Amino acid sequence: MEEKSIISVRNLTKNYGSASVLKGINLEVKKGEVVAVIGPSGSGKSTMLRCINAMETISGGDIYFNGESVARMKKLPKLRQEVGMVFQHFNLFPHMTVLKNVMYAPVTVRGELKPKAQEYAMELLKKVGMYEKRDAYPSTLSGGQKQRVAIARALAMKPEILLFDEPTSALDPEMVGEVLTVMKQLAKTGMTMIVVTHEMGFAREVADKVAFMDEGIVMEWGSPRQVFEETENERVKAFLAKML
Amino acid sequence: MSELIQVAVKYRALLISGAKVTLIVSLLTILFGLFFGILMAFLKMSKVKILRAFANVYVEFIRGTPVLVQIFLVYYGLPLMGVEIPSIVVAGFDISRIVSGTLALVINTTAYVCEIVRGGIESIDYGQTEGALALGMSPQRAMLAIVFPQAMKNILPSLGNEFITIIKTSSQISVIGIADLMYTADTIRGISFKPMEPLIIVALIYFLMTFVISFILRFAEKKMKKGYAR
């Protein structure tokens, strides 16, 4: 039996005024899959990702989350509790400690009890190797540490799927590894993930599916092997030659 | 010097009473001005066009007219609009004048605090709002729990300046006969025939008040900085 998609992007378009950024995107993400989205800058990767949790409004087409239309959805906070997001610039809350960053939303948004939320937050912080820093403020952390906390914070909401918006692009090179390691572990636990990234190694090694985007469309779609090795598309080849 | 002390001691009851009025009026203005200023800032950033327009006109008009004119407008305008505040004298102070003087100052302060708060909120990176929304927070919670506290911390120095300005500006309510510190200086000058001494004494008292406020604020700032740096 064909497994149902968690996320189903159908003919998605997005315009900013007269500039059209997305020109009909189609994408299917099934439970437990890791999908890497690659492509040159300005190809609409991040915009597409941000449409999925309704950070951007959809101009045309639609996205279905477990069969529900995102374009027609009224309760966006509810959607965003299920669809977590990790940002390029972390967006940790500077006026809260690491622990409070992680447990604030579960307590206030999901209404979890504090002791329970704290216990789970500590567990997550251990998982991403940030338990020792639980009482520190974000400003005292390195970029890699911040991003690991941000991942724990997103996981604390127990989302069904996690979106990563270039999670390593703002990091110093020596810190990219620690974040990718956490993401790899996460993928192994069966977390459904869509990762917009410039890390070709990660896409190749960890992703189940790779989408190559350019000029607002998905130009190539398939397994890492299909996209990285067997592609006939000249644009994909040129891009990969530059990146690898 | 001895002249100064003589005058200060002789008229200490008047001076203390005037200082009290100035302090009470300033404190009330700070409190209500802060409250309505924050409210006005949210109106100015509202999605509803009419609210935004109202806040814009309000702020531009208040900032574009002298506070002295505003004080007179409220003082003579309130009765004309049918608002009569009974002239009750409590502890030697005419409440009706104090209310209209304070109201004028609050109206004035609201406009300035509004601009300070709005600037503070807009200075917070939009990523903070996005981070909060992405966790499923409502836009209201994202504003109140995430953006607003950070904004308030950033604008603390500007707010402190505004508080100090209020104390100094409050001297202008003496024109409608409120017996504040400035009014006291005039009174003492009238009965003692000494022009300089009362003014110098009053200036020192004003300075003491503003100095204490700026000291407290500097302390608060330091304490908040210890909490977290950006």
Side-chain angles (χ1 to χ4, degrees), chain A residues 35-53:
Chain A
V35 173
V37 183
I38 60 170
S41 303
S43 57
K45 308 184 295 286
S46 287
T47 308
M48 186 271 292
L49 197 70
R50 292 162 55 82
C51 284
I52 296 176
N53 68 344

Side-chain angles (χ1 to χ4, degrees), chain A residues 92-101 130 133-142 145-146 149, chain B residues 224-230:
Chain A
L92 292 180
F93 308 135
H95 58 309
M96 297 180 183
T97 62
V98 164
L99 182 61
K100 185 134 190 247
N101 260 282
M130 289 300 294
K133 293 278 188 184
R134 64 192 177 280
D135 292 323
Y137 281 91
S139 59
T140 63
L141 305 180
S142 73
Q145 291 175 323
K146 281 182 194 167
V149 173
Chain B
M224 277 179 105
K225 258 198 196 120
K226 255 192 198 156
Y228 69 93
R230 270 184 73 90

